Amino acid sequence: QVQLVESGGGLVQPGGSLTLSCTASGSFFYIHTMGWYRQAPGKHRELVATITNGGRSDYADSAKGRFTISTSGAGDTVYLEMSSLKPEDTAVYYCSVKVQHITNTQTYWGEGTLVTVSS
């Protein structure tokens, strides 16, 4: 089993910045990919950004130039630095981690952290 602990959500004014973090712990061989998704009220969950264990990152068009995904040196924590936040960035942000077990890979999800962008 893998546990994900997210932190960093909250209320921020338009144009402000916020950094989310998510730490993975538990039993697994290694992490393939870590990422962030978000779900706004009344909308489907969507990709924000992902990063592989090799450091390759990928961003949704809405995140490019404003958000930066990174991992800790140990590779068990993923960060999402968000700047120039807009009201449309308001959503519950979910951490996602794909890990390698003995015989299979599995993706785990965090419980989500709410980001509200409002004046």
Side-chain angles (χ1 to χ4, degrees):
Q1 277 292 344
V2 174
Q3 294 78 44
L4 301 179
V5 178
E6 301 159 329
S7 63
L11 173 65
V12 62
Q13 292 187 340
S17 300
L18 207 59
T19 297
L20 308 180
S21 65
C22 171
T23 299
S25 63
S27 178
F28 54 90
F29 278 115
Y30 61 88
I31 294 173
H32 284 284
T33 307
M34 305 183 86
W36 290 95
Y37 292 72
R38 69 185 183 186
Q39 187 168 13
K43 295 189 176 181
H44 295 296
R45 189 174 298 188
E46 62 178 9
L47 167 74
V48 177
T50 60
I51 187 167
T52 68
N53 60 8
R56 187 180 115 183
S57 58
D58 189 28
Y59 295 90
D61 287 343
S62 59
K64 290 178 181 176
R66 300 190 300 126
F67 295 1
T68 301
I69 190 169
S70 62
T71 57
S72 63
D76 59 354
T77 299
V78 60
Y79 304 97
L80 185 68
E81 298 176 66
M82 304 183 290
S83 62
S84 302
L85 283 161
K86 307 173 183 179
E88 50 263 44
D89 294 317
T90 295
V92 177
Y93 284 70
Y94 296 91
C95 172
S96 174
V97 177
K98 182 179 180 181
V99 306
Q100 181 68 47
H101 292 301
I102 295 176
T103 59
N104 66 296
T105 60
Q106 191 161 350
T107 298
Y108 295 87
W109 293 87
E111 294 186 351
T113 185
L114 177 63
V115 173
T116 303
V117 184
S118 175
S119 55

